Amino acid sequence: MTMDKDISLSRDAIADPDVMAANAHADLLAKPQPAPASPPPVPQAAGASRFHESARAQVQGAATYVDDIAEVKGTLHAAPILSTVAHGRLLGVDGTAALAMPGVRGVVLAGDIPGDPLLGNFSHDEPVFATDTVQHIGQVIGLVLADTAMQARRAARQVKCHIDALPPILSVHDALQAQSHVLPPVFVKRGDAGEALQRARHTLSGTLEVGGQEHFYLEGQIAYVLPQEQNQWLVYSSTQHPGEIQHWVSHALGIDNHAVRVECRRMGGGFGGKETQSGHMAVWAAVAARKLQRPVKLRMDRDDDFLVTGKRHPFAYDYTVGFDDSGRLQGLKLTMAVNCGFSADLSGPVADRAVFHADNAYFLEDVEIASYRCKTNTQSHTAFRGFGGPQGMVVIEAIMGDIARQLGLDPLAVRRRNLYGVGERDITHYQMKIEDNILAPLLLKLEQTSAYAERRQAISAWNAGSPVIRRGIALTPVKFGISFTATLFNQAGALVHVYTDGSCQVNHGGTEMGQGLNTKVCQIVADELGIAFEQVLATASDTSKVPNASATAASAGTDLNARAAQYAARNVRDNLAQFVAGLDGCGAGAVRFQGGEVHTPAGSRRFTEVVKLAYANRIQLWSDGFYRTPKIHYDKATLTGRPFYYFAYGAACTEVAIDTLTGESRVLKVDILHDVGNSINPAIDIGQIEGGFVQGMGWLTTEQLVWNDKGLLTTHAPSTYKIPTTGDVPEHFKVDLWPEPNREDNVFGSKAVGEPPLMLAISVFEALRDAVAQARPGCRVQLQAPATAENVLRALGGWS
């Protein structure tokens, strides 16, 4: 038998012991021979711009989302019964009219929950369905089940909820006055800020308010729950956290986790809005499916999605800062009031990360930060790309701009003056030493490539001759910590299967939401096995394959899951290496997998042939892999330690123009230099940078959430809530990658890229504040975010 002969085993061969013995003996004696017609060399997969693994299917409309899954016969559709009162006592629910409508099969309320009536989250403070009280307009009281989605939605509006209204708390200022909190306040101190402010040459006090943000994922919230045999349940969910869905559903149904299987092939966007919020949909649908013993699909209408789900947390700030003549900070007292909504959800870690990132890129020597987690009668706010980091950074950048204008200095000079140092001034206010600082050279490089100094002069000249259209410019840095601050979540598992034709399947605990996680995982696995990228297939996230997986969040999806998959692939490779080493009489360390071939000092074999040979000799061709992030630790009681494995850095230079008569604004130019380490996939990374920046720009300019005095979110559709469009993206939009690998031992030397780019858009807000200052020289800039036309006009003094 030669290596070129097909050694796949037929049924007859398997049935014949003599044939099996002969094949095994021949296999063991097989020697590598040059292939007569070698296929073209296989290029390295990682480090190259590869198409997103689902791109072609998505363009063709062939990529399956939850709503595309063929519905099982008997499937019912659910629609939520919503509170129309922000705060009140729920006295009763009358579903008589709804039940009389065509196609309606049932109403589900809190009394139908077989398990815990509270959701199975850490804070345990949020009901599955409202029981004796309602706490915001849009809180789900129950479901109506019908044969079609439209029948269910129409019927849900006919359910009468008897509510005795109570006074609502609708702002953080009212919550602070009423001492209304979802969690206790947190205080972080270093040095003596009070004494430092007293001795400072200059002091400045101010306030800032930054609004929330709707996730506006293209695919809305959806869950499809199917009863299985023996009280088991299959849940299809558009979720960033299948493991949490499994836990929440089993908790509500009063059964063990192993009886619930959750699957998610892909999401049509998530941005944090499907980390916990998707769990509500799955639980509601599961409770309904159990009551009616029918499959249930809950697909949220976009308006209902707005009213029901949480947003990015709005923040209000109050600060006093001391500084010297050069603009260097000498002391800072900062208060953050976080609008958490009616329950804790993820507000604790979001608010904590805002405290961690209140420094952004700057050394805070004497600092005192107070963080108040306020309870209001609005939707329970939740994770959103950046997870509190943007709200921490935006205020310190505003402070830097205010200091510069107070002193008559270039804001970039003040920012540079306060940067963390290397070997000095390198300990954060939460006691973490910064060991990978590239801030100074990165800012210098962008300053040069963007021609910042020349453009600043040109803008001053423009403004001198333009009384109506004023321009501004800002160059701001980003230093964003990578890891879950809750240390236990920094772990991941994966499975790699190699089949006898040489193809490979990988499954991991992460979820694909368009960010390219599966593509990067396939690239890493392909290189670990030395095979083509096209030979590796990533399959749906599934709790029955990888258990207890963390959410795909904190920008750690690739760091965790690609490393776990790499380790799983490495185990298979090591099995094959030992086998081939035995054939060729060399050490396993001398066996190399590269270019679709397996090389030893004795010669080369094609990978597919080695796999077939290994299978015939009963070598394991699948394995699991597990990874946990090293070095991190964190004391939640004191908010000190090393919560982050490393930092991702970046900077953006943005030029804007404002119309001083109308308050309208436009972004004219954007130059970005961002640190992704060794990029696994430059095209995907640059796409993430561009998308993150535009999303951040929307948060700080056009995306305004407005609640009326009754507590109703009035901006609950695209007609009133304005996300950026292609017309808002400037023609000059330049993105460059910093050419240095991660200094920590991360997969491929890469760095996370999901969240950090969003904070580059703070340069837009600072450029707008610069333009307002150019229009009102000598006046303090009081611009709130988002910088809508109305807010810009107010800052210009033209709107009361």
Side-chain angles (χ1 to χ4, degrees), residues 233-434:
W233 302 85
L234 173 59
V235 180
Y236 294 106
S237 174
S238 180
T239 179
Q240 295 174 237
H241 200 176
E244 186 168 71
I245 299 282
Q246 179 189 44
H247 172 63
W248 283 20
V249 168
S250 63
H251 187 79
L253 297 184
I255 58 178
D256 292 332
N257 286 358
H258 69 203
V260 178
R261 177 185 159 214
V262 182
E263 181 180 308
C264 176
R265 174 57 183 92
R266 61 174 60 83
M267 289 164 275
F271 312 117
K274 294 177 181 176
E275 186 171 345
T276 61
Q277 304 296 288
S278 56
H280 300 70
M281 315 299 150
V283 169
W284 296 333
V287 170
R290 184 190 181 278
K291 178 181 178 179
L292 280 79
Q293 289 299 304
R294 299 267 294 273
V296 171
K297 179 187 282 188
L298 172 56
R299 184 183 69 240
M300 296 290 280
D301 173 85
R302 180 68 69 175
D303 290 273
D304 289 347
D305 198 326
F306 264 83
L307 292 174
V308 170
T309 60
K311 323 299 177 193
R312 184 188 295 281
H313 290 71
F315 272 57
Y317 313 87
D318 191 299
Y319 65 85
T320 299
V321 61
F323 48 96
D324 64 17
D325 289 337
S326 70
R328 174 168 281 186
L329 268 62
Q330 294 182 310
L332 174 64
K333 283 189 175 183
L334 173 63
T335 297
M336 298 179 172
V338 187
N339 187 338
C340 302
F342 81 94
S343 69
D345 192 76
L346 294 172
S347 296
V350 166
D352 288 350
R353 188 173 274 263
V355 171
F356 287 139
H357 287 82
D359 59 343
N360 189 15
Y362 312 115
F363 179 70
L364 306 179
E365 188 167 9
D366 292 284
V367 59
E368 184 177 311
I369 302 173
S371 173
Y372 294 92
R373 292 91 196 271
C374 301
K375 179 176 181 176
T376 59
N377 293 115
T378 64
Q379 294 83 352
S380 185
H381 298 309
T382 190
F384 200 124
R385 196 177 195 171
F387 202 79
Q391 295 97 314
M393 292 183 190
V394 70
V395 65
I396 195 66
E397 291 300 337
I399 290 170
M400 292 294 162
D402 287 345
I403 290 172
R405 284 183 283 274
Q406 176 92 349
L407 297 174
L409 299 174
D410 184 332
L412 180 57
V414 173
R415 290 185 166 95
R416 184 174 282 121
R417 178 72 171 141
N418 285 286
L419 290 177
Y420 278 105
V422 176
E424 60 172 358
R425 293 167 51 86
D426 59 358
I427 306 294
T428 68
H429 55 293
Y430 48 91
Q431 304 305 311
M432 177 175 172
K433 183 177 178 63
I434 299 177

Side-chain angles (χ1 to χ4, degrees), residues 344 456 554 620:
R456 189 159 193 86
Q620 183 176 326

Side-chain angles (χ1 to χ4, degrees), residues 353 357 359-362 386 389-390 393-394 396-397 415 419-420 434 436-440 442-443 446 475-482 555 647-653 672-675 689 692-693 751-753 755-764:
R353 188 173 274 263
H357 287 82
D359 59 343
N360 189 15
Y362 312 115
M393 292 183 190
V394 70
I396 195 66
E397 291 300 337
R415 290 185 166 95
L419 290 177
Y420 278 105
I434 299 177
D436 57 1
N437 187 354
I438 58 171
L439 286 163
L442 190 147
L443 258 66
L446 182 60
L475 196 161
T476 61
V478 166
K479 174 187 68 66
F480 189 80
I482 304 298
S555 300
F647 292 97
Y649 299 92
C653 179
I672 292 171
L673 180 57
H674 196 69
D675 164 37
I689 294 166
F693 182 92
K751 285 191 175 185
V753 71
E755 292 173 298
L758 185 137
M759 284 144 281
L760 296 169
I762 294 173
S763 62
V764 175

